[in-house]
Amino acid sequence: MPVSTLFSDYKDTFTPCRPFPSREAAVSWLQMIGRENMFVLVTKHSDAGGIKRRGRVKLACERSGTYRGMSQRVGKSKATKIASKPRNEEEEETTRTQTGTKKCGCPFPYQRKGKCRLLVVCHCYMWEAQSRARKNLDGHSFAGRLDKGEQEVVVQMTKGNVKSRDILNTLKQRDVRNVSTMRTIYNARQKVRNEDAGGRTQMQQLLHILEKNKWMSWHRKHPVTNVVTELFWSHPDSIKLLRCFPSVILMDCTYKTNRYRMPLLEIVGITSTHLTFSVGFAFLSSESHGNYVWALENLRSILDGWPKPNVFVTDRDLALISVIEEVFPASSHLLCSWHINKVVLAKTKKMFGENDGFARFMDRWTSVMYANSEALLEVMMNDLRCEFGNVKGLIEYLDNTWLKNYKEKFVSAWTNRIMHFGETTTQRVESAHSILKLHLGNS
């Protein structure tokens, strides 16, 4: 396509040797024309020049040139990349050639010479049909780049914990011609994180932020690999609240908070006005006895010289239960009644089969849990045995799994003797999990 036709709308302002005040002005003007004609011009070569040499800038269509493919040869130890060569029958079967490219040899370059003058090197543009038929520049990586203003928007919204899709929608509402993609936003956000990290790894950056903001933290490393295996941290204000309100502590692990699939132990407390506050967090390599001992010893060190918690509320995590009794022997421990009901429902429902007495059984079991005296508990259990004794395995499960070993931790006849301020479930921790994951967005 002749250049005169392509730039017919700009014939009053464009000449093959039009002077410009600066290189940036010339490049911006040409790129603007390219965008309006639905193609993208990029800098192909640039030379600032010297004492006896004039500077030059060569612009070209982003699809100009040819693609130099790469082959990926898979070895026994690791994959290594080598320069590609034509595939033939003698080539090994383990070689795969990557052929995807945007370059197709489009002959459409411009060249700047002398004092900011532009010379047309090629007078034809071979993608007229495509450029004219295309209604926008979607799919052009160069056209989707963010300018300085858009980059600032991404930085501010990223620091405000705005999701990537909302950032992209904001940019498109600000400029209807914006053709950025989600990948553009992902790359920009990652660039912001890398700049903030200043060359530090993710773990180094985390420890740096904890130290910079004066959080109390402890971590353990593997003796051989030097990899961090556990990490405990707590905010200074959380420590002050804990020392003022140590009566009831609730703990539970949550998952899907990090790419390493490490459980996150979240510890919360309750103020005198029944508000929930976070005490601390701990990433653990596993939910084992040793890991829980390390985490709770750090919790105890925070309260060194201060009153220890009166009550702990958790689910039936056997390792955590034993560690609480070991690290805080003077504290009482309660089991979450909501978790107990959930487990009993899942375990016993299949025992009833087609029997329609399951709902009635759950009502009786709830009454057993809230029996406010030992005598009343015995009466209710006798009634439950008489009515549902024919259900195979039901009574044995309730006695052996719950009542025999843990009735003091969830039946009201015993829990009412402890000042727990009505906190007999880990609902507050579950709510804290939900808020945390909402803030994180994803792992």
Side-chain angles (χ1 to χ4, degrees), residues 10 28-41 135-137 141-146 175 177-179:
Y10 311 95
S28 298
W29 187 82
L30 273 176
Q31 289 180 343
M32 180 268 295
I33 295 178
R35 283 173 178 266
E36 294 186 5
N37 287 273
M38 297 305 164
F39 68 93
V40 178
L41 291 178
K135 296 181 180 180
N136 53 55
L137 293 172
S141 56
F142 187 87
R145 290 184 180 181
L146 305 177
D175 184 2
R177 297 173 299 176
N178 183 286
V179 292

Side-chain angles (χ1 to χ4, degrees), residues 241 250 268-271 273-278 423 428-429 431-432:
L241 287 170
L250 304 94
V268 303
I270 307 167
T271 67
T273 55
H274 289 276
L275 297 178
T276 305
F277 67 93
S278 295
E423 300 300 328
R428 291 179 182 268
V429 190
S431 298

